[in-house]
Amino acid sequence: MQLTVLFPWLIEQLLRLMANPAHLAHAILVHGQAGIGKRALGVAYARALLCESTDAALRAHGGCGECSACLWFDQGNHPDFRKVIPEALAVAEGAELADDAAEPGEPAEGTGSRSKKVPSKEIRVDQIRALHGFMSVATHRGRARVVLMYPLETVNDIGANALLKMLEEPPPNTVFILIADHLGRIPATVLSRCQKVFVATPALPVAAGWLAERGVADPEAALALSGGAPLAALVFAEDEQALASHREFLGFLARPGIEAALAMAEAFGKTPPGPLLRWLQQWVADCITVRLAGRIRYHPAQSKVLAQLAGAARLDALMRLRQRLDAVRRTIDHPLNTRLVLESLLTAYADAMAPTKA
Ligand SMILES: [Zn+2]
């Protein structure tokens, strides 16, 4: 686990966490949009809590990076720290399978069958139960004991019960840092035991500036692709295919028509619906705000065409379409027929823009 510099938009938040005596709350739940760096914040906070530097400012900024605690932490073997994540994610992060829950010097529970099993996408209950051993002995360094767990949504019901018991009777000096994108998927019993820490999506200029420093040619377009989340935007910006799809999709939105809507639904009918719905939602949002208030949030580069389109569109139909998009996106995780949904939404869009029809 190597922490480089914490993302600039998260530094203030880390300082607030460290400055607030409530950080001794034994469980905090860091939540906010995906792709904005919540995990990096959780890692920096854990490192800050464990750092043994006498310089409080260095500790507050995520650890000095030089004391024994920071060095152990960076090597992934601080004795008072555990990271609990799904096996599949650990593989993606480049870790050895199933070494997260293992006690030093003793075999990890439930990891005997590390043969050819598909890595789990859930945080398994035995990973949570394995924390008992970690928490039943005194801390090695006499400071905090820290458990970092993400994504909390992947803890199943049995695991949530095991976790709840720990949160109800926490050993002293223990801090749980839990991370989730969607609070709605966390059991209310677990939620009630945590101090919630919301991480805001960074402002567009901050996110765009950060992406530009990383050589992203069109940061605003990349952010529009990813709902404003800079880390997700960086992934998109390096994905030529996603960028091409976005260009094609915007091309349609800028020149709407019923026949084109049907063709688009056909062309995009087999792609994951999430990004497409977000693009349409953002475009419709811009149509509405430019019409009502002269403001454009997501597509500053297309301000001229948006103003033209929105000026001629039927506002009531756009408002209805926005409501439908909100409803459809809430059910996005359920299987749906992408082509049919797109067909219905894109023809409704073309219809709202009726004056541009042939
Ligand atoms: Zn340190």
Side-chain angles (χ1 to χ4, degrees):
M1 157 177 333
Q2 185 63 51
L3 176 84
T4 49
V5 182
L6 187 59
F7 305 114
W9 59 89
L10 295 175
I11 291 170
E12 277 300 315
Q13 192 131 27
L14 178 62
L15 291 175
R16 272 201 303 280
L17 276 171
M18 290 299 287
N20 182 355
H23 81 260
L24 297 173
H26 67 266
I28 69 158
L29 174 48
V30 177
H31 65 104
Q33 191 186 348
I36 59 175
K38 297 188 300 298
R39 290 172 193 176
L41 179 66
V43 169
Y45 184 37
R47 194 174 186 255
L49 290 172
L50 294 165
C51 173
E52 294 173 13
S53 168
T54 51
D55 186 331
L58 281 180
R59 288 204 308 276
H61 279 83
C64 69
E66 289 176 353
C67 70
S68 313
C70 282
L71 296 179
W72 287 326
F73 188 89
D74 292 346
Q75 288 159 9
N77 53 17
H78 193 295
D80 295 325
F81 175 70
R82 288 292 182 277
K83 185 166 79 165
V84 183
I85 62 176
E87 278 178 354
L89 190 55
V91 171
E93 289 187 2
E96 283 284 306
L97 243 193
D99 63 355
D100 285 309
E103 284 295 314
E106 55 183 80
E109 265 178 65
T111 55
S113 57
R114 57 184 293 180
S115 46
K116 296 281 181 254
K117 251 175 53 187
V118 180
S120 172
K121 289 182 178 167
E122 288 189 339
I123 293 174
R124 298 183 326 268
V125 64
D126 58 298
Q127 287 176 279
I128 293 172
R129 287 186 184 139
L131 291 170
H132 278 300
F134 170 60
M135 296 201 296
S136 62
V137 294
T139 58
H140 292 75
R141 304 295 294 178
R143 301 177 77 90
R145 179 192 285 118
V146 181
V147 176
L148 175 65
M149 190 181 292
Y150 60 78
L152 193 57
E153 296 95 326
T154 67
V155 176
N156 64 23
D157 289 348
I158 305 169
N161 274 332
L163 177 63
L164 185 61
K165 287 207 179 74
M166 289 180 194
L167 297 181
E168 280 170 346
E169 289 166 31
N173 298 326
T174 302
V175 180
F176 283 85
I177 304 169
L178 312 171
I179 300 178
D181 297 337
H182 307 284
L183 285 193
R185 296 184 198 160
I186 312 299
T189 46
V190 171
L191 273 185
S192 70
R193 290 279 161 186
C194 301
Q195 182 193 341
K196 269 76 78 188
V197 175
F198 174 67
V199 180
T201 302
L204 184 64
V206 174
W210 182 81
L211 287 169
E213 280 171 22
R214 265 140 205 87
V216 173
D218 189 348
E220 266 106 19
L223 285 163
L225 271 159
S226 62
L231 304 189
L234 190 58
V235 173
F236 271 121
E238 288 162 358
D239 183 343
E240 288 296 328
Q241 211 177 344
L243 287 171
S245 295
H246 186 236
R247 270 196 299 276
E248 190 184 346
F249 202 78
L250 286 195
F252 158 75
L253 294 175
R255 284 179 300 282
I258 299 291
E259 278 170 26
L262 298 178
M264 289 296 288
E266 178 81 41
F268 283 90
K270 293 211 160 49
T271 57
L276 305 174
L277 294 175
R278 189 166 60 232
W279 301 341
L280 181 57
Q281 199 170 29
Q282 290 171 342
W283 184 268
V284 168
D286 272 351
C287 284
I288 291 172
T289 56
V290 75
R291 169 81 170 261
L292 293 179
R295 276 189 294 107
I296 287 175
R297 176 172 173 199
Y298 299 106
H299 307 88
Q302 282 94 354
S303 58
K304 218 164 153 188
V305 66
L306 271 164
Q308 267 171 11
L309 279 170
R314 288 177 14 244
L315 190 57
D316 61 329
L318 277 177
M319 299 288 218
R320 278 200 302 279
L321 178 57
R322 179 168 68 177
Q323 278 177 354
R324 276 186 62 199
L325 281 163
D326 288 344
V328 170
R329 281 204 63 198
R330 274 197 294 277
T331 60
I332 194 70
D333 291 327
H334 301 299
L336 42 74
N337 184 322
T338 304
R339 188 179 69 83
L340 289 183
V341 171
L342 276 181
E343 194 174 298
S344 163
L345 291 170
L346 295 182
T347 50
Y349 169 74
D351 182 55
M353 302 303 198
T356 62
K357 265 195 298 186

